[in-house]
């Protein structure tokens, strides 16, 4: 056996793991005590920001996401901090003007971010190029991302082509991102090997574990040449989350590859989160392995969304029809990967098609998708639906870069933000407002009250369940419960506690 | 790519999966409706009997295990039925006379068993040879088993040697059994490849999933030449159980290997057990991935056993000392694999050593182990402890086959069984009595009442939890709760119900 090749590991516990397992609800205070160990364990990078965490911070946790970033920077002085950035969408749900992208990346870098993983839901490189350039300007690590999906049109060659385009943009590394756990071992090997051969670049691989196969895919990706893989500490792993860090390390023994992580520290990190996790039980996803997505192409989260949309319309029995409609809609849209926001756009249109007749009504977002305002998809879009989109919206289809249609907007955003109560005058606050203009005002107002931990003591959760099971509807059993009782013929209202 | 090599799959849902995940409590009536689909799905075999199921049937389910076997035979007419047999221990916890082994195997075959997976906790081939011969005599499939463990003495060569010994006994196939999820991908590849090369036999691989790495090990075992692998349908998989059947099948796509199972039927089977599983929530193991065993060598179940032993002695704080003592005791005993019953024997002696001083008192079982009455271990045993065992028990050490010291016992067992109320006169009942002489009489008496389903409606389980969470100690919240309340200065004892 020749000397071992070292495989880097990105720890996901502080971001994607709790985003995937517990609806991004973990409070900063439940993470701080793990940071010293994480900082010393030997990770290639620590993903801790971006994705849905920014949104969750201001929407649910009354926590300033920029302050969270600065805290991580202090607590992880020796680590590469990593974030997930939705290209021209940044951390919001629309395309931003290039000037906003510049400001965002600059401020993220200034507050401590090292590695920017930049992706686009449609794999349209034009939606990445400005963000990538902005990262390069800061001197930080720009990681260009290839989103993995399957369709009759997606090929190894296509992924390699995209990787090369990212390389031409100046990417410091390439990420292969498998957000739906669709990446099987053989394609993992083939794609990583081809990208390595054609670009010679560092390749990072990110897989979810929903379908149960992706630790094998990581093994094969490593055999194919992957340099860094993403995992989550075991107590924050599996289900819709990711493969366990410790299992990845152990699996490599004797294979000629090694993940040089400190086992004692991993054990500490594991125990920390094993203690914290039960506090978030009420946000937890179920831990089912599900391979159905290999055939349906529909991520689990998307199915539950569509199900609730149908129920709201009193059409809960139409789910099967909708599930059959999704692949047709996806095909008409040129086979976009199904990931935020394309999964919602395609899913909602499928629901509309079933409830109101095929393409009788287009959602505004689906019309925009068909008209090119989200970018290009890999396949040809159905020209009839494009015509309908044009007719319904009065908008013209575009084929150039969507953000070229957006005027500079930084000055406007500043002016708007300045009118908001609680705005602190910083560029960071302008960016917070820009990302979530409806949520930010409420957050700015309540910010002085400080972060809110939505985790709960497990006993408290049990008590709530108990109360529900008991149908008292009066809240946790441990607090006094009000009863109306009749004693000696007289009605009394009393509050009682278990003796 | 050359044509694909077909990989057989053994489905574990009906035996080891519920044994590992829900303490072997699944009632036959919760399995029958899945059988038609299982029978047609294309499995190499269906494990459905043996292991702890026999014990659980008569101890907890008031169900005749022989009737269960006959029912499976009827419901799975096209399948190879498979069982796990503990060599000379059969399904009990001691060595039996050869005549009992003969009768047991004959009756199991007669009632419908096809594949006998025969193993010994110490990997002592002399503990397998009679059972293997008995299977050969019936014309059924005799699968010789190599138990996987790690120690300074366990090598690929050693496993191959054992496989060859099993081949010489007439084994129809070799099973590599990884009961503690210790088998990492590289050794899986190396061992399977070497056994295939040296024996040319069919190799079956059985892994648990506790450590999170073993689906990768199955991939590597298949690359090394494995013919059949064991999995459990996804809704009955993972945690201390096994890797998901569907994930195994999907993982192979494009690799040159294929598991030819019917996906629609797998989906039916999955849904069946997904519905049944919540009924057994109160027996369920937690779903934590745990890689600690790679270093400690101590299976999770063994730790919880030792912990409860220590607590009973008011020495709950001594667990760390005991965990450190286990590897020493294991070494003194010549590095047995830690699996039933050796894990209990070694673990209990470690507890004794910590509580009373090292080897001040030997348990009867540990003394027997040191004196050779369980068979040979791979390493040399500590001669000082052998001397102590001799002194304490007055027994002589043996080096020949343990069962050679057991007289024929069938006639005695028949005579004893005949005195038991409810004994039905059959050889099967004699065998039931022989396996569990303390439990069988109670079972024979209550057998006419028919099987008992210990599963519970999930709502019922919630209500029980609710009652506990409310700390009332008076049963489910829905029944009246007694409170002592003070009203207008007077104490009253009242029973109240939610209004």
């Amino acid at each position: 056996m020749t000397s071992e090749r070292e495989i880097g590991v990105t720890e996901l516990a502080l971001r994607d793991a709790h985003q995937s397992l517990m609806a991004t609800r973990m409070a900063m205070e439940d993470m701080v005590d793990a940071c010293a160990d994480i900082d010393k364990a030997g990770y290639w990078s620590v993903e801790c920001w971006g994705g849905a965490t920014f949104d969750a911070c201001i929407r649910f946790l009354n926590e300033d996401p920029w302050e969270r970033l600065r805290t991580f920077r202090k607590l992880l002085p020796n680590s590469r901090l990593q974030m997930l950035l939705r290209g021209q969408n940044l951390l919001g749900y629309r395309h931003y003007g290039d000037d906003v992208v510049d400001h965002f990346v600059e401020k993220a870098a200034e507050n401590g971010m090292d590695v920017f993983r930049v992706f686009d839901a449609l794999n349209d490189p034009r939606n990445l190029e400005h963000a990538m350039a902005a990262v390069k300007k800061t001197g930080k690590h720009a990681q260009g991302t290839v989103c993995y999906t399957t369709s009759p049109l997606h090929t190894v060659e296509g992924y390699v082509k995209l990787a090369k385009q990212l390389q031409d943009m100046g990417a410091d590394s390439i990420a292969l991102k498998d957000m739906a756990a669709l990446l099987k071992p053989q394609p993992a090997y083939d794609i990583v090997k081809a990208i390595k051969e054609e670009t010679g670049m560092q390749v990072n691989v990110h897989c979810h574990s929903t379908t149960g196969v992706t630790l094998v895919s990581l093994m094969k990706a490593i055999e194919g040449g992957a340099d860094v893989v993403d995992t989550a500490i075991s107590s924050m792993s599996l289900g819709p989350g990711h493969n366990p860090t410790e299992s990845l390390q152990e699996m490599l023994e004797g294979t000629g590859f090694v993940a040089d992580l400190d086992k004692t520290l991993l054990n500490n990190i594991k125990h920390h989160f094993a203690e914290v996790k039960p506090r978030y039980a009420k946000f937890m996803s179920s831990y089912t392995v599900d391979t159905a997505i290999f055939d349906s192409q529909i991520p689990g989260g998307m199915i539950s969304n569509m199900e609730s949309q149908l129920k709201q319309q009193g059409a809960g029995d139409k789910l099967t029809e909708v599930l059959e409609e999704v692949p047709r809609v996806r095909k008409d849209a040129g086979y976009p990967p199904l990931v935020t926001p394309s999964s919602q756009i395609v899913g909602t249109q499928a629901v509309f098609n079933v409830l109101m007749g095929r393409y009788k009504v287009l959602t505004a977002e689906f019309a925009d998708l068909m008209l090119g305002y989200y970018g290009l998809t890999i396949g040809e879009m159905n020209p009839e639906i494009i015509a309908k989109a044009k007719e319904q919206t009065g908008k013209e289809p575009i084929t150039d870069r969507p953000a070229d249609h957006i005027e500079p907007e930084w000055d406007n955003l500043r002016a708007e933000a300045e009118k908001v109560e609680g705005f602190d005058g910083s560029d960071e606050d302008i960016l917070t407002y820009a990302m979530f203009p409806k949520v930010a005002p409420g957050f700015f107002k309540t910010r002085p009250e400080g972060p809110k931990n939505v985790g709960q003591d497990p006993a408290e959760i049990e008590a709530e369940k108990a109360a529900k099971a008991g149908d008292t509807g009066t809240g946790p059993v441990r607090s006094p419960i009000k009863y109306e009782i009749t004693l000696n013929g007289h009605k009394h209202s009393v509050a009682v506690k278990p003796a």
Side-chain angles (χ1 to χ4, degrees), chain A residues 230-468:
Chain A
D230 289 14
T231 59
I233 199 76
S234 60
S235 50
M236 292 285 288
S237 74
L238 294 184
H242 314 82
N243 294 291
T245 305
E246 302 97 310
S247 302
L248 182 278
Q249 181 183 36
E250 297 287 354
M251 143 187 119
L252 294 178
E253 192 185 332
T255 59
F257 308 101
V258 63
D260 191 12
L261 299 170
D262 184 310
K263 284 192 186 183
T264 307
L265 297 180
L266 292 189
N267 195 44
N268 295 347
I269 301 164
K270 165 187 153 178
H271 283 291
H272 170 84
F273 286 106
E275 280 186 23
V276 163
K277 190 164 70 168
R279 295 178 46 78
Y280 296 92
K282 76 172 187 183
F283 302 106
M284 294 280 278
S285 311
S286 75
Y287 267 69
T288 324
V289 179
D290 196 349
T291 58
I293 184 179
F294 286 128
D295 295 316
S296 73
Q297 299 294 327
I298 305 169
M302 187 174 158
I303 295 182
S304 48
N305 271 348
M306 292 186 302
E307 213 172 351
S308 82
Q309 286 175 338
L310 285 168
K311 278 189 186 149
Q312 279 165 24
Q313 303 298 320
D317 57 323
K318 296 268 168 60
L319 184 64
T320 308
E321 271 176 82
V322 170
L323 292 178
E324 285 165 7
E325 182 67 11
V326 166
R328 282 192 210 110
V329 175
R330 185 173 175 235
K331 186 178 176 212
D332 287 332
Y335 293 111
L338 295 180
V339 58
T340 302
S342 55
S343 52
Q344 290 85 342
I345 297 173
V346 168
T348 306
Q349 187 60 46
V351 169
F352 272 47
N353 284 3
V354 166
L355 294 184
M356 296 180 260
R358 190 166 291 156
Y359 300 118
K360 286 278 185 270
V361 180
L362 306 185
T363 67
E365 291 78 11
F366 189 73
D368 275 355
L369 175 64
M370 294 303 291
L371 294 170
Y373 289 93
Y374 285 92
L376 286 176
T377 51
I378 196 174
E380 211 189 325
M381 292 181 174
N382 185 332
E384 286 177 40
I385 323 292
I386 296 177
K388 272 196 186 154
K390 212 175 130 177
E391 188 193 311
Q392 187 185 304
T393 62
K395 278 177 166 177
E396 282 305 307
I398 62 169
T399 54
D400 51 351
R401 190 178 75 110
D404 286 341
H405 295 258
I406 304 171
E407 295 294 318
E409 51 181 336
W410 179 254
D411 294 338
N412 284 345
L413 287 165
R414 168 178 287 282
E416 285 179 34
E418 275 169 352
K419 291 182 213 143
V420 177
E421 186 189 334
F423 171 68
D424 71 3
S426 68
D427 284 2
E428 285 83 351
D429 260 16
I430 299 173
L431 289 161
T432 301
Y433 175 77
M435 294 304 106
F436 301 99
K438 287 186 181 147
V439 183
F443 166 65
F444 289 159
K445 206 184 289 180
T446 56
R447 177 164 51 187
E449 296 161 21
K452 202 168 92 186
N453 190 326
V454 299
Q456 280 178 299
D457 189 84
E460 204 182 317
I461 296 172
E462 274 305 312
E464 273 188 22
K465 266 201 212 158
K468 264 192 210 159

Side-chain angles (χ1 to χ4, degrees), chain A residues 106-126:
Chain A
E106 201 187 303
K107 285 289 146 186
E110 201 181 297
N111 282 280
M113 190 47 60
D114 296 306
V115 180
F116 293 75
R117 175 175 290 172
V118 188
F119 83 100
D120 174 62
L122 301 190
N123 273 337
D124 183 341
R126 303 168 311 162

